[in-house]
Amino acid sequence: MKRILAVLFVLVAVTGMFAQDFVFSNASEPTLDPSLQTDTASTNVYLGLFEGLVQYDPKTSRAIPAVAESWTISKDGTVITFKLRKNATWSDGHPVTAQDFVYAMRRILDPKTGAEYAYFPAMVIKGADAFNSGKGKAEDVGYKAIDANTLEVSLTGPAPYAVDMMAHSSFGPVPQWAVEKFGNDWTKPSNIVTNGPYLLKDWKVQEYLLMEKNPKYWDAKNVKIKSIKVLPGDNDTTNYNMFKNGEVDWTHGIAVSKIDEIKLRKDFQASPQVATYYISLNIAKKPFDDVRVRKALAMAIDKKAIVDKITKAGQIPTDAMVPPLAGYTPQKGAGFNPEQAKKLLAEAGFPGGKGFPAFTYIYNTNEGHKAIGEFIQQSWKNVLGIDCTLQNMEFKTLLDLRDKQRDFTVSRNGWVGDYIDPNTMLELFISDSGNNAGNYKNADFDKLIEKARTAKVSDRYKIFQQAETMLLTRDQALIPIYHYVNLDMIDASKWGGWYPNPIGFHPWKFMYKK
Amino acid sequence: MTKFIIRRFLSLIPTMFVIITLSFFLIRFAPGGPFSSEKKLPEAVLQNILKKYHMDESMPMQYLRYFNDVLHGDFGPSYKYKESTVNELIAQSFPNSIVLGSVALALAVFAGIGVGITSALRQNRWQDYLAMSLAVIGISVPLFVIGPVLQLAFSMQLKWLPVSGWYGRKWPLTLILPALTLSFPYFAYIARLSRASILEVLRSDYVRTARAKGLKESAVVLKHVLKGALLPVVSYLGPAFSGIITGSIVVESVFVVPGVGRIFVQSALNRDYTLIMGEVIVYSLILVVMNFAVDIVYGFLDPRISYK
């Protein structure tokens, strides 16, 4: 036992000498295989180990060159030709070629891979959806290697956001030879082959993951941070305590219960997200099928008060589904107006709330959702004289009830956009969407979303504005409450190259110590 | 005796069978599944995944497949940690829980017995009241309160110990707070248990005889009192050990200890069926084996129990 302890002490001392450059609390255990990743924790590691054709601009989250040094888009907007740089290599010395991207694309779409995020490229890449659902062939997927350094990507339509999407890990390259040699074990530290600015040095599941600067990376001279230690801590309070104690340099997500203390700190960062917190009303149920009722419910809620008194972290109160984007003006539903709310409810046949059937507001168990639910319950009672019961349930139980069985009346809901475009916030309300919990069915709305898919770039935003007008201004199919913000703890006076941005991903290669 | 041990051992098999079968079906009755999320997957994608994990087959077929795998020592792939098998995840995390649990149990036993002796010998004096108040706190305050309070005191204020973590530069300092937290209720229970039984033994005839012989008080306590008084404590060790291993869920979560408890909570929330099953099997194996061991040891410790 003594000997073991002695060895341990030596080990501790030795590892202590190589101090980490940057320590980061990642909220959960990542998946390393780019084709199998599903969450932010995995993307954070992907941004160190791998590099796609393009990557996120650290300030705007839009695409900037990475393995591809440039690209051209055909006149009709449906074909993108990428020029790959010649000096990009894998960690085992193989050059990074267009074929690696073709292989990765076919692999994530292959039904046998069973990749959850296959749907992401399938939204924009020609032939991808057909191959993934077993109706098409791999060869027909719109990814073609013209030569080792030229990749031609065909889209389902002129999607101007497609290049931005391609910074996502589901479009990342995968080394075919390593996957074929090691199978499912190819991402184990001893087998993994990567092409990003960092190499996987060590990975102890549930303990830590260590990345070190990749000297063979094509842009290695601009990579400043030597090593990044990624911790899997998922307890917000512990993460915050570690941050305060100087044990971690960055935590994503904050201890909501400490928001009053946290928001006074200089190292607290809040940045608007393409994401909306909203209430789903089940339109298939009476009396929620009456638009006057839905508008009355929306007008009774003071969203600014929710943000100021409950969430308190800089969330943006809203009456729209799409957050403000450059060039896009969100189209609003009904705002806070108690007098008008009472009038509308009376017109709908429930003066003073009389005769309004009792219903239940469901939410997934969480202090924040509970406080918001109580506020809304009180607003409806005070303004409209309507009674509703609050019911909390475990997250997956709520999903089952709300999204699968659609057996609910009113529910808390939330949606985080996948890319910066109105489409990602609106298409979930088309009639047959699996995420259209409120059962909004409107053929005209569906047509508009479909039309935008093939519309000219200059017309798209106008079409989306028409769609949002229909969804909210006319039909009030849901009640938007606020736009989410990314919440991070990082000391910007110590670390440069980290910016609050809309997608919330922060490529490591741009970061440096001030 | 041998016959009893064999019979008792064989009875573990149906117990495990029932546990595996019940949990296999119970977790599948829970609403939602491993692949449900706020963003619903397109049907084609979902079907691909179900097929990959053979979840498109009928329930009895899935059960038979799983049972066969378990008999071959294979707990299957994790649905959440897609690059790891359940066997790997448990093999990585289990030793950490054992280290944490053993240290916590050792702390609980030594501190518990020490405090128990002190309060018994100083019965109804301030030492006794202090110790027993501490024990009441230990039994009644939940771990998720004790943990953060210790973090606040020793890490945030005094800066003596790290807030959380496990291996790395600060090991084994990282072990101290979680072990202390985890040991607290067991320490409290052992302190009360040993105090009570020492008090009982102190009044027994053979202790009076020992004192009458003119033995020194320390000899009376160490040689005569403790020997008899510790029996209940020893028999409590079996359940305590399995309890401390299976009960470290909260502590592992608060201190980010990479143990089985932490992934157990996560796997339940994620509906990671195979991982939940793997952990349930490991936990129940510990419980039934420890109970089995305690049954056997009882016989040696207590002459009133005989095996037939």
Side-chain angles (χ1 to χ4, degrees):
Chain A
M1 188 63 202
K2 254 187 194 164
R3 201 180 288 168
I4 298 174
L5 274 179
V7 169
L8 277 172
F9 267 111
V10 171
L11 276 177
V12 168
V14 169
T15 43
M17 288 195 303
F18 301 101
Q20 315 299 331
D21 260 337
F22 192 85
V23 186
F24 161 52
S25 192
N26 199 12
S28 76
E29 199 57 55
T31 301
L32 300 195
D33 188 330
S35 312
L36 298 180
Q37 298 187 348
T38 54
D39 53 5
T40 313
S42 304
T43 312
N44 286 330
V45 174
Y46 167 82
L47 292 173
L49 298 181
F50 293 92
E51 187 176 67
L53 293 162
V54 294
Q55 67 177 325
Y56 300 104
D57 181 294
K59 282 185 193 158
T60 64
S61 297
R62 300 272 179 175
I64 52 171
V67 169
E69 50 189 6
S70 65
W71 58 89
T72 51
I73 301 176
S74 69
K75 265 209 180 123
D76 65 352
T78 61
V79 179
I80 312 171
T81 311
F82 289 95
K83 266 280 170 236
L84 276 60
R85 61 184 78 247
K86 295 206 167 77
N87 55 351
T89 59
W90 290 95
S91 52
D92 62 356
H94 277 77
V96 181
T97 65
Q99 186 53 41
D100 299 334
F101 287 93
V102 175
Y103 171 74
M105 183 50 65
R106 289 181 183 176
R107 177 167 178 263
I108 191 173
L109 294 172
D110 192 333
K112 281 197 219 84
T113 308
E116 283 176 55
Y117 256 68
Y119 83 87
F120 202 56
M123 286 195 284
V124 287
I125 305 297
K126 199 175 169 185
D129 193 35
F131 177 44
N132 183 241
S133 50
K135 290 177 213 135
K137 285 186 297 194
E139 296 77 48
D140 295 335
V141 173
Y143 251 51
K144 285 206 173 60
I146 305 295
D147 59 45
N149 299 104
T150 315
L151 180 75
E152 192 184 274
V153 177
S154 307
L155 306 177
T156 50
Y161 49 86
V163 181
D164 289 343
M165 282 173 77
M166 291 169 84
H168 189 264
S169 56
S170 53
F171 290 87
V174 170
Q176 181 170 5
W177 56 97
V179 177
E180 283 170 358
K181 187 169 171 197
F182 299 109
N184 207 27
D185 283 336
W186 81 272
T187 53
K188 295 271 145 67
S190 52
N191 307 340
I192 196 167
V193 177
T194 58
N195 76 324
Y198 289 86
L199 297 170
L200 179 64
K201 212 62 203 167
D202 196 5
W203 185 22
K204 295 230 177 326
V205 176
Q206 300 291 329
E207 289 175 39
Y208 65 87
L209 181 147
L210 184 63
M211 302 194 281
E212 263 179 25
K213 186 178 161 174
N214 175 5
K216 284 191 212 151
Y217 176 64
W218 63 270
D219 198 17
K221 66 175 192 302
N222 287 320
V223 178
K224 303 288 189 319
I225 293 176
K226 282 205 188 70
S227 75
I228 299 160
K229 189 175 187 183
V230 185
L231 306 175
D234 53 12
N235 186 306
D236 283 340
T237 309
T238 303
N239 283 345
Y240 178 57
N241 285 344
M242 288 174 83
F243 180 81
K244 274 214 300 200
N245 234 15
E247 292 173 38
V248 295
D249 298 303
W250 172 29
T251 73
H252 180 70
I254 55 156
V256 182
S257 56
K258 297 218 168 81
I259 184 64
D260 288 319
E261 173 190 330
I262 289 175
K263 72 175 176 187
L264 298 175
R265 294 178 63 101
K266 268 195 284 185
D267 41 24
F268 166 60
Q269 317 271 352
S271 54
Q273 260 181 302
V274 184
T276 306
Y277 189 110
Y278 67 98
I279 297 171
S280 281
L281 305 169
N282 194 343
I283 295 176
K285 284 198 180 174
K286 273 189 191 306
F288 299 90
D289 57 340
D290 187 334
V291 65
R292 291 169 298 189
V293 169
R294 299 199 295 270
K295 281 191 176 162
L297 291 172
M299 287 174 181
I301 304 170
D302 184 357
K303 294 152 186 182
K304 192 166 178 310
I306 292 182
V307 171
D308 290 344
K309 292 186 188 140
I310 302 173
T311 62
K312 296 193 233 177
Q315 288 86 353
I316 303 150
T318 186
D319 301 322
M321 185 65 197
V322 185
L325 302 170
Y328 183 88
T329 316
Q331 302 299 301
K332 293 174 181 172
F336 182 49
N337 188 344
E339 288 318 306
Q340 185 67 15
K342 281 177 199 152
K343 240 169 85 187
L344 278 174
L345 195 69
E347 278 174 31
F350 307 102
K354 242 177 252 146
F356 201 90
F359 64 96
T360 306
Y361 175 109
I362 57 172
Y363 64 94
N364 47 311
T365 309
N366 170 297
E367 284 306 310
H369 298 330
K370 183 178 174 205
I372 292 173
E374 284 168 349
F375 182 93
I376 290 171
Q377 180 189 38
Q378 271 305 308
S379 304
W380 286 341
K381 176 82 192 157
N382 294 344
V383 176
L384 302 172
I386 289 177
D387 285 306
C388 84
T389 323
L390 295 182
Q391 193 190 347
N392 66 310
M393 46 187 79
E394 185 254 358
F395 190 45
K396 294 236 177 188
T397 310
L398 177 95
L399 293 178
D400 191 65
L401 207 62
R402 183 188 74 194
D403 297 347
K404 199 170 166 197
Q405 304 182 31
R406 307 226 172 142
D407 181 16
F408 75 101
T409 316
V410 175
S411 170
R412 174 256 145 195
N413 213 328
W415 186 259
V416 181
D418 289 314
Y419 46 92
I420 306 173
D421 191 271
N423 191 51
T424 186
M425 301 305 290
L426 292 175
E427 67 163 5
L428 63 147
F429 297 105
I430 57 173
S431 303
D432 60 354
S433 159
N435 291 301
N436 183 1
N439 294 305
Y440 180 63
K441 288 201 167 41
N442 178 351
D444 294 334
F445 178 86
D446 298 355
K447 270 184 213 146
L448 283 173
I449 298 295
E450 189 55 43
K451 190 173 152 197
R453 265 188 237 284
T454 49
K456 275 192 293 187
V457 176
S458 53
D459 295 338
R460 291 181 70 252
Y461 278 14
K462 255 181 253 157
I463 299 172
F464 283 128
Q465 286 180 347
Q466 283 172 17
E468 196 178 23
T469 309
M470 211 174 263
L471 179 76
L472 285 168
T473 320
R474 194 187 80 187
D475 293 339
Q476 193 75 50
L478 60 140
I479 307 175
I481 302 292
Y482 62 76
H483 296 304
Y484 286 95
V485 281
N486 284 307
L487 303 169
D488 294 276
M489 304 294 303
I490 183 169
D491 186 351
S493 65
K494 191 174 164 196
W495 300 101
W498 189 103
Y499 305 93
N501 65 42
I503 295 282
F505 294 142
H506 305 274
W508 301 102
K509 72 175 272 194
F510 301 107
M511 290 179 60
Y512 58 92
K513 194 168 187 170
K514 282 187 177 166
Chain B
M1 176 74 186
T2 325
K3 225 172 164 183
F4 169 82
I5 293 179
I6 293 172
R7 195 147 37 91
R8 184 69 181 73
F9 184 77
L10 287 179
S11 75
L12 300 185
I13 296 171
T15 312
M16 286 309 295
F17 173 77
V18 170
I19 289 173
I20 293 175
T21 309
L22 270 182
S23 10
F24 181 90
F25 289 103
L26 275 178
I27 54 177
R28 277 164 181 77
F29 282 132
F35 308 109
S36 61
S37 66
E38 188 104 88
K39 283 182 186 161
K40 209 174 168 206
L41 288 172
E43 198 49 37
V45 174
L46 186 64
Q47 287 309 323
N48 290 340
I49 298 169
L50 294 184
K51 203 173 234 166
K52 177 179 172 180
Y53 294 118
H54 303 288
M55 284 162 73
D56 55 339
E57 294 170 355
S58 70
M59 200 73 104
M61 186 65 214
Q62 287 183 48
Y63 172 71
L64 288 178
R65 188 186 285 278
Y66 182 76
F67 205 85
N68 182 43
D69 286 346
V70 168
L71 287 182
H72 290 88
D74 177 9
F75 290 151
S78 160
Y79 299 148
K80 166 76 183 166
Y81 308 109
K82 298 184 182 64
E83 290 151 315
S84 305
T85 62
V86 172
N87 293 43
E88 283 170 347
L89 287 169
I90 291 178
Q92 275 164 349
S93 53
F94 199 58
N96 296 334
S97 291
I98 295 276
V99 169
L100 173 62
S102 310
V103 173
L105 191 63
L107 273 176
V109 169
F110 286 111
I113 293 175
V115 169
I117 295 173
T118 320
S119 12
L121 296 179
R122 306 267 185 280
Q123 195 193 1
N124 297 335
R125 274 188 261 173
W126 68 267
Q127 294 97 328
D128 185 26
Y129 293 132
L130 180 75
M132 285 308 110
S133 316
L134 202 65
V136 168
I137 293 174
I139 287 174
S140 48
V141 180
L143 295 181
F144 59 81
V145 174
I146 297 181
V149 166
L150 290 181
Q151 277 179 339
L152 200 67
F154 291 100
S155 313
M156 312 292 291
Q157 295 298 325
L158 297 171
K159 304 224 180 262
W160 289 350
L161 297 166
V163 179
S164 75
W166 192 243
Y167 289 121
R169 267 178 298 168
K170 290 183 176 144
W171 212 87
L173 287 181
T174 45
L175 180 62
I176 296 176
L177 284 187
L180 215 57
T181 310
L182 185 56
S183 70
F184 216 66
Y186 295 91
F187 148 76
Y189 189 79
I190 291 174
R192 286 168 59 98
L193 197 67
S194 48
R195 173 181 179 270
S197 65
I198 289 169
L199 283 178
E200 197 186 314
V201 175
L202 277 175
R203 292 190 190 100
S204 63
D205 291 342
Y206 73 88
V207 173
R208 194 176 308 131
T209 312
R211 284 198 174 125
K213 280 196 301 186
L215 278 181
K216 272 193 294 182
E217 187 62 16
S218 61
V220 173
V221 171
L222 290 175
K223 279 197 180 149
H224 298 276
V225 178
L226 276 189
K227 215 174 186 179
L230 288 187
L231 245 172
V233 177
V234 174
S235 62
Y236 172 64
L237 287 184
F241 184 74
S242 47
I244 223 163
I245 296 289
T246 54
S248 59
I249 292 171
V250 174
V251 173
E252 291 184 7
S253 181
V254 169
F255 291 97
V256 202
V257 174
V260 252
R262 219 170 86 82
I263 47 178
F264 192 38
V265 180
Q266 288 304 321
S267 64
L269 295 176
N270 292 331
R271 305 285 195 275
D272 195 341
Y273 293 154
T274 43
L275 189 51
I276 304 175
M277 284 302 298
E279 299 236 354
V280 166
I281 293 173
V282 169
Y283 277 161
S284 25
L285 261 180
I286 296 175
L287 278 172
V288 295
V289 168
M290 286 319 279
N291 283 344
F292 169 67
V294 167
D295 280 0
I296 308 287
V297 173
Y298 264 159
F300 293 106
L301 289 180
D302 193 336
R304 282 169 299 186
I305 295 171
S306 66
Y307 298 110
K308 274 190 190 132

